[in-house]
């Protein structure tokens, strides 16, 4: 019997199932992150976002479409953290604005809600990038609109939409070269698909232990396909060509091997994306004797070989492919980043201007406090504060105008969302993407200027700062022309990973060489909790010998994960 409507009870079950599936798959989604730094990963951020909404949904005193929609929207908006979490919350926000107007959802309403969800999410991002969760969401919305014109059966529509969503997700590497190079799909898009697949299970009336499924997936081999083929070449591959080809294969999988013969090259690799290996092989010549084996499911592989073809159910689709007014509600704290007051007294008289900064590390916090920051939100790359954390900090700073310094590119959207949710104070988000940018911004605050003029000046001045950071790799990967192995030391600047090595200080110096130019006058070094003061001072001496005539400042940052934060002005 066709399912033509969804009531509030069914929508609640679908939402909770989607959240459980996402939570169960979060570590798998985290592994899709291309950038190999220890950070607040996509799967974790999206899960914390949706679980904030789950809490509100489960506390509803009365279940109606309107109250359910408000709970999903408000909970996800306030719990949103990281760019992927904020975008997910905006998708929920747009979706619920439509469904809150009805008592039951039909195919046409579902299509309108998906369209509104995508429009809202795109508006929330200043520079939308294709090949991300936004692309997957748009593809889903377009397929939903197409299917709603053909049938009223929501279950049939959902099956077609999921199949199309997986297809769009699988194409994200073609839109983002960095995904293609790493051999993965977009992690945010994969997270969205897991939410929808869980919801589809509930729509079908299934009861699934998602945690158990995730454990099975975790226990499975990392790469799903064993690929081999032979390349017929006109000229033997040079040693350099072999090395580059082998590095590429290693970047998209493991157990890579290249064996040269008489006018031919045999290639073997285990990977999740056989097409990437084959495409690269075609650049050297004709390919034959192609063999692709599914090593994750050898039993099913054997069934197909034996001719025992079975028809897969619609829910067995591949999972391996990686404005308006805000909701009302009180600003509370979540279980996310902690905060600390920096001089703001309880019941202090209202002042004109206040400052909030996101920071981590005793020394770094003291630097911001010394520069006049009223409230420190503890967080950063490894712990992205939520929108609710921002709102909690805003509530504690009694000022007409409050400047927020996110100091991380993955926190700016959450700060912007908190701004939209605040009605009684003027919130100014300075889009600082690094700690050195945030320090430069607040140094350039001028008390005799207006908040608007200060915002322009602070933003302009911080863009003159070149920022760098030194940390370690958490996974093997290929970044542009660099092959990176787990535990390698990486020097990262505003253009990405620039230096890779085995020694912290050699890699840090190499990074600084790339950051310096003839106009550079000041180098600031902030050493982390895993670096001693003596080592930092010795490193500063090396820097001074190489860049004579440039002022050098050494500060204890105390930040975790990053051995050094560096800035050049």
């Amino acid at each position: 019997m066709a399912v033509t409507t969804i009531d509030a009870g069914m929508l609640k079950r679908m939402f909770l199932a989607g959240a459980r599936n996402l939570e169960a798959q979060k570590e798998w989604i985290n592994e899709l992150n291309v950038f190999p730094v220890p950070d607040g990963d996509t799967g974790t951020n999206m899960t914390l976002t949706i679980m904030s909404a789950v809490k509100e949904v489960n506390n509803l005193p009365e279940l109606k479409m309107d109250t359910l929609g408000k709970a999903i929207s408000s909970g996800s908006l306030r719990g949103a953290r990281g760019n992927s979490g904020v975008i997910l919350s905006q998708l929920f926000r747009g979706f619920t604005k439509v469904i809150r107007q009805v008592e039951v959802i039909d195919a046409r309403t579902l299509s309108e809600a998906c369209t509104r969800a995508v429009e809202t999410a795109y508006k929330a991002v200043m520079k939308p990038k294709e090949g991300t969760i936004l692309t997957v969401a748009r593809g889903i919305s377009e397929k939903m609109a197409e299917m709603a014109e053909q049938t009223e059966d929501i279950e049939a529509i959902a099956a077609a939409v999921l199949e199309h969503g997986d297809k769009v997700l699988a194409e994200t590497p073609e839109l983002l070269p960095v995904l293609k190079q790493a051999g993965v799909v977009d992690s945010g898009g994969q997270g969205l698909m897991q939410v929808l697949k869980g919801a589809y299970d509930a729509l079908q009336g299934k009861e699934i232990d998602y945690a158990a499924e995730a454990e099975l997936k975790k226990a499975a081999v990392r790469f799903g396909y064993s690929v081999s083929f032979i390349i017929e070449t006109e000229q033997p591959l040079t040693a350099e060509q072999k090395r580059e080809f082998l590095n590429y294969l290693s970047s998209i999988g493991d157990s890579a091997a290249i064996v040269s013969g008489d006018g031919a090259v045999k290639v073997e690799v285990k990977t999740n994306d056989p097409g990437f290996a084959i495409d690269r092989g075609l650049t050297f010549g004709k390919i034959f004797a192609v063999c692709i084996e599914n090593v994750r499911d050898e039993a099913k592989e054997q069934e197909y070989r034996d001719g025992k073809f079975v028809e897969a159910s619609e829910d067995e689709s591949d999972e391996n492919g990686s404005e308006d007014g805000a909701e009302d509600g009180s600003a509370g704290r979540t279980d996310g980043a902690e905060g600390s007051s920096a001089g703001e007294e309880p019941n202090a008289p209202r002042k004109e201007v206040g400052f909030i900064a996101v920071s981590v590390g005793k020394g770094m916090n003291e630097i911001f406090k010394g520069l006049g920051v009223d409230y420190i939100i503890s967080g950063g790359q490894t712990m992205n504060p939520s929108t609710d954390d921002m709102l909690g900090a805003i509530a504690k700073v009694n000022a007409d105008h409050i400047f927020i310094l996110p100091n991380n590119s993955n926190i700016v959207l959450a700060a912007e969302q908190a701004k939209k949710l605040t009605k009684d104070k003027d919130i100014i988000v300075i889009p600082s993407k690094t700690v050195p940018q945030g320090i430069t911004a607040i140094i350039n605050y001028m008390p005799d200027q207006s908040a608007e003029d200060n915002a322009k000046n602070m933003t302009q001045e911080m863009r003159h700062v070149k920022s760098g950071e030194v940390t370690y790799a958490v996974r093997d990967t290929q970044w542009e022309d660099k092959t990176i192995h787990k535990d390698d030391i990486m020097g990262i600047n505003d253009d990405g990973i620039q230096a890779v090595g085995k020694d912290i200080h050699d890699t840090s110096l190499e990074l600084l060489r790339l950051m310096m130019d003839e106009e550079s006058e000041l180098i600031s070094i902030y050493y982390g909790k895993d670096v001693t003061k003596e080592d930092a001072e010795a490193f500063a001496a090396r820097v001074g010998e190489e860049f004579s005539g440039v002022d050098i400042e050494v500060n204890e940052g105390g930040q975790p994960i990053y051995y050094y934060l560096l800035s050049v002005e």
Side-chain angles (χ1 to χ4, degrees):
M1 183 176 177
V3 176
T4 57
T5 59
I6 296 172
D7 62 15
M10 173 56 76
L11 183 61
K12 177 183 177 180
R13 290 193 292 275
M14 292 172 67
F15 176 73
L16 295 179
R20 287 198 303 272
N21 192 31
L22 175 62
E23 182 182 36
Q25 310 295 344
K26 67 180 178 183
E27 294 302 332
W28 172 54
I29 295 168
N30 284 342
E31 291 180 2
L32 296 175
N33 280 274
V34 176
F35 218 57
V37 298
D39 61 6
D41 282 331
T42 300
T44 299
N45 284 339
M46 294 182 75
T47 297
L48 290 171
T49 298
I50 201 169
M51 286 303 166
S52 175
V54 166
K55 184 177 180 180
E56 290 206 22
V57 168
N58 284 332
N59 288 334
L60 279 175
E62 181 183 15
L63 182 61
K64 296 191 303 183
M65 195 68 77
D66 180 45
T67 57
L68 177 60
K70 283 182 179 179
I72 293 173
S73 180
S74 178
S76 60
L77 282 172
R78 296 180 180 282
R81 63 185 73 218
N83 293 340
S84 55
V86 171
I87 292 172
L88 180 64
S89 73
Q90 290 293 327
L91 288 169
F92 285 141
R93 180 187 180 199
F95 183 88
T96 56
K97 279 193 172 293
V98 173
I99 62 101
R100 282 168 52 186
Q101 309 303 317
V102 299
E103 292 185 2
V104 294
I105 302 170
D106 58 17
R108 188 60 59 93
T109 303
L110 194 60
S111 175
E112 291 174 2
C114 287
T115 298
R116 184 68 172 273
V118 173
E119 290 174 351
T120 304
Y122 267 87
K123 286 178 182 178
V125 181
M126 187 173 296
K127 295 181 180 179
K129 184 181 292 186
E130 296 304 329
T132 65
I133 182 176
L134 291 170
T135 304
V136 177
R138 192 183 70 244
I140 288 169
S141 173
E142 290 170 350
K143 187 65 176 180
M144 185 74 72
E146 175 190 327
M147 292 300 300
E149 294 292 334
Q150 300 176 17
T151 179
E152 295 180 351
D153 186 346
I154 294 177
E155 191 171 328
I157 292 173
V161 166
L162 284 179
E163 181 180 357
H164 184 71
D166 273 333
K167 180 180 178 182
V168 175
L169 178 64
E171 292 171 352
T172 54
E174 301 302 320
L175 299 173
L176 273 182
V178 67
L179 295 177
K180 188 167 186 177
Q181 187 177 42
V184 297
V185 296
D186 177 67
S187 54
Q190 184 65 274
L192 177 61
M193 290 304 301
Q194 297 312 308
V195 173
L196 296 179
K197 287 176 179 179
Y200 181 57
D201 288 337
L203 180 66
Q204 293 182 302
K206 295 182 178 181
E207 292 291 338
I208 295 178
D209 185 347
Y210 293 110
E213 284 206 337
E215 286 302 315
L216 288 174
K217 182 176 288 185
K218 200 180 297 182
V221 293
R222 182 182 175 192
F223 297 102
Y225 299 95
S226 177
V227 184
S228 65
F229 54 86
I230 296 174
I231 309 172
E232 187 179 44
T233 61
E234 293 184 3
Q235 299 290 334
L237 297 187
T238 66
E240 181 66 21
Q241 286 176 319
K242 286 182 182 178
R243 183 163 53 252
E244 290 181 356
F245 191 16
L246 192 60
N247 285 342
Y248 174 78
L249 293 173
S250 297
S251 75
I252 64 169
D254 62 14
S255 303
I258 300 175
V259 180
S260 297
D262 185 15
V265 178
K266 184 174 182 180
V267 179
E268 295 179 351
V269 66
K270 289 182 179 178
T271 179
N272 286 330
D273 298 280
F276 291 164
I278 294 170
D279 286 347
R280 182 59 64 96
L282 285 168
T283 64
F284 298 108
K286 296 179 181 178
I287 285 181
F288 60 98
V290 177
C291 179
I292 303 175
E293 297 182 15
N294 185 329
V295 295
R296 276 206 178 105
D297 197 339
E298 294 180 358
K300 186 166 288 186
E301 183 85 12
Q302 191 61 49
E303 284 184 353
Y304 282 105
R305 287 179 182 174
D306 294 343
K308 298 176 182 178
F309 293 94
V310 293
E311 184 175 340
S313 60
E314 291 173 329
D315 64 296
E316 290 178 320
S317 54
D318 178 29
E319 293 187 358
N320 293 320
S322 162
E323 92 207 16
D324 307 336
E327 303 291 344
D328 293 331
S330 60
R333 297 278 304 169
T334 68
D335 58 356
E338 296 178 352
S340 64
S341 177
E344 187 75 3
E345 296 293 334
N347 304 315
R350 185 90 160 191
K351 58 184 180 180
E352 184 177 356
V353 176
F355 295 92
I356 295 170
V358 179
S359 173
V360 65
K362 180 180 178 181
M364 204 62 74
N365 293 347
E366 290 300 322
I367 290 172
F368 277 112
K369 290 176 183 178
L371 292 171
V373 169
D374 299 285
Y375 196 89
I376 302 289
I377 300 176
S378 180
Q381 186 72 9
T382 59
M383 182 173 57
N384 298 155
S386 68
T387 299
D388 214 18
D389 293 322
M390 298 283 180
L391 291 171
I394 290 169
K396 293 181 183 297
V397 178
N398 193 14
D400 295 328
H401 309 280
I402 300 176
F403 290 85
I404 298 181
L405 302 167
N407 300 331
N408 187 285
S409 60
N410 211 33
I411 301 174
V412 174
L413 277 183
E416 291 285 359
Q417 192 147 283
K419 173 182 178 178
K420 293 177 182 177
L421 291 169
T422 302
K423 302 302 181 184
D424 62 336
K425 298 173 183 176
D426 175 32
I427 306 301
I428 302 144
V429 178
I430 303 297
S432 52
K433 296 181 179 180
T434 66
V435 168
Q437 281 188 354
I439 291 173
T440 297
I442 195 168
I443 285 175
N444 282 277
Y445 172 78
M446 301 296 177
D448 58 341
Q449 294 185 3
S450 67
E452 182 180 0
D453 288 341
N454 264 304
K456 292 178 182 177
N457 183 56
M458 293 165 71
T459 301
Q460 181 178 344
E461 290 300 320
M462 76 178 187
R463 288 173 178 161
H464 296 156
V465 179
K466 297 178 184 177
S467 302
E469 52 198 28
V470 181
T471 186
Y472 58 91
V474 295
R475 61 176 68 90
D476 294 349
T477 193
Q478 184 78 17
W479 178 266
E480 296 180 347
D481 61 341
K482 294 176 177 60
T483 299
I484 301 169
H485 300 288
K486 185 177 182 294
D487 297 325
D488 278 354
I489 305 300
M490 302 181 299
I492 306 167
N493 69 7
D494 300 324
D495 296 320
I497 302 169
Q498 300 297 308
V500 179
K502 301 297 183 183
D503 182 81
I504 294 171
H505 296 94
D506 288 346
T507 306
S508 300
L509 191 56
E510 182 182 350
L511 176 63
L512 273 176
R513 291 188 186 113
L514 296 171
M515 294 168 63
M516 295 290 288
D517 58 33
E518 294 180 355
E519 298 180 356
S520 301
E521 298 177 348
L522 172 65
I523 297 174
S524 297
I525 300 171
Y526 305 90
Y527 61 94
K529 72 178 185 66
D530 295 321
V531 177
T532 65
K533 180 180 180 181
E534 292 73 21
D535 284 345
E537 290 176 344
F539 173 60
R542 287 182 63 185
V543 173
E545 291 175 3
E546 180 143 351
F547 305 107
S548 58
V550 176
D551 292 332
I552 299 171
E553 291 184 354
V554 180
N555 301 278
E556 179 185 4
Q559 70 274 2
I561 305 300
Y562 294 92
Y563 303 112
Y564 288 106
L565 296 180
L566 308 168
S567 70
V568 174
E569 300 177 58

